[in-house]
Amino acid sequence: MQRICVIGGSRYFGKLLVQRLRAAGHQVTVINRGSSRPPAGVEHLVADRGDEAALVAALGSRTFDVVVDQVCYTPVQAAIAARAFAGRTRRYVMTSTIEVYDPATAALPAVPADTPVPEGNVDPAAWPVDPELPWHDAAYAEAHYAEGKRQAEAVLARAGGFTFASVRSAHVLGGGAQEFTGRLAHYAERVSRGDAITVRADELPTVFIHYGELADLLLWAATEGDFGGPLNACSDGPLDVRAVAEAVAEQVGREPLYRVAAATETPSPFSFDRHYAMSNARAKDLGFTFSRTADWLPDAVAEALAAAAAPTR
């Protein structure tokens, strides 16, 4: 049994992670702002992680074997966490994102389109940090999501006092209505109605992960792994946007329709004209086994279709 603190963990794969940690016999503490309660048997601390005094007060004298941070989006939040958990934990795992590799959001080393992007393409130990940017402005933080994650990783990587690991998640699917971004639902609804899907003229593939597999990987990283640094998390087998639409079409019995986006138009989710499909070789070398996207995508599509067909109140 380990003492594990999860910051966030109130929805989707974070909620599933908390459930699986508890089922595995670990002593789990969840910190959130009180919007939802964790499962029975899980300690609940209510605090805004952006309020350092409130966070420290809520923690009291508690110490943990591992902290899993599900909701760290800016270097300011990361710096608060680094100070608040100094001397309280031996390991800190932050959930990060594939978007740190998006070449549209930073000047990154070029990677050929047929080469999966390795973790070293964004090195948190060397990434510049600017805490004076308007990270407290929600609109700014949202518009600079990828850079916020890069800088948050950099702050925690340099904090010292604990082993820091970041799990860079691929695009997460599965779970039907639990998949709150609505990206797979977009395809379920448009293909079912016969509406055209807006795509780019030249599509490049990306990578995905099932929400249950991501919860498993985070549990493994927290309780079994002792590695540090960034780790890519994606199922085997990249797909482009048309493959996603065709997976829906196969179940609804209707051919997908496509329309090329105008220059100023935002295309459908997962329609990329730039390459940043990740390599998962490091995680495999460390002992984690990934599923194939093509094996779980049909079930994820079925859940999305069922959620779209469910009556709303």
Side-chain angles (χ1 to χ4, degrees), residues 51-210:
D51 183 334
E52 186 169 352
L55 178 58
V56 170
L59 288 170
S61 60
R62 292 172 179 82
T63 60
F64 305 97
D65 295 300
V66 187
V67 174
V68 182
D69 194 340
Q70 293 283 86
V71 289
C72 190
Y73 301 113
T74 73
V76 175
Q77 292 176 333
I80 289 171
R83 291 189 295 266
F85 286 95
R88 294 182 187 271
T89 187
R90 60 173 178 78
R91 182 166 178 76
Y92 199 105
V93 178
M94 172 188 154
T95 303
S96 191
T97 174
I98 184 177
E99 293 187 36
V100 302
Y101 300 118
D102 186 349
T105 64
L108 300 172
V111 179
D114 58 351
T115 303
V117 181
E119 287 86 353
N121 231 44
V122 175
D123 179 6
W127 197 262
V129 174
D130 187 352
E132 300 306 316
L133 292 171
W135 296 113
H136 293 292
D137 182 327
Y140 180 89
E142 182 177 358
H144 296 82
Y145 172 71
E147 181 60 17
K149 284 288 193 179
R150 285 187 287 259
Q151 292 196 25
E153 286 190 36
V155 169
L156 288 163
R158 298 168 197 170
F162 47 67
T163 300
F164 172 67
S166 58
V167 173
R168 294 172 175 169
S169 170
H171 307 292
V172 188
L173 298 178
Q178 295 181 71
E179 199 268 287
F180 61 92
T181 68
R183 293 176 295 186
L184 190 53
H186 170 87
Y187 291 95
E189 292 164 3
R190 295 195 74 79
V191 175
S192 296
R193 293 196 304 255
D195 294 340
I197 296 165
T198 306
V199 298
R200 298 182 187 274
D202 297 309
E203 296 287 349
L204 286 174
T206 188
V207 285
F208 300 88
I209 191 166
H210 189 270

Side-chain angles (χ1 to χ4, degrees), residues 175-262:
Q178 295 181 71
E179 199 268 287
F180 61 92
T181 68
R183 293 176 295 186
L184 190 53
H186 170 87
Y187 291 95
E189 292 164 3
R190 295 195 74 79
V191 175
S192 296
R193 293 196 304 255
D195 294 340
I197 296 165
T198 306
V199 298
R200 298 182 187 274
D202 297 309
E203 296 287 349
L204 286 174
T206 188
V207 285
F208 300 88
I209 191 166
H210 189 270
Y211 82 113
E213 185 165 44
L214 182 54
D216 286 339
L217 187 144
L218 288 166
L219 186 151
W220 168 81
T223 63
E224 298 182 43
D226 58 2
F227 65 91
L231 187 82
N232 293 338
C234 59
S235 302
D236 290 331
L239 299 174
D240 64 18
V241 67
R242 292 175 186 258
V244 175
E246 286 159 12
V248 177
E250 186 172 344
Q251 295 194 36
V252 301
R254 185 194 292 267
E255 287 296 314
L257 302 176
Y258 302 101
R259 180 177 65 81
V260 176

Side-chain angles (χ1 to χ4, degrees), residues 281-298:
R282 185 180 187 221
K284 289 180 176 178
D285 288 344
L286 288 168
F288 191 83
T289 301
F290 290 97
S291 65
R292 290 192 57 78
T293 308
D295 291 338
W296 57 255
L297 185 58

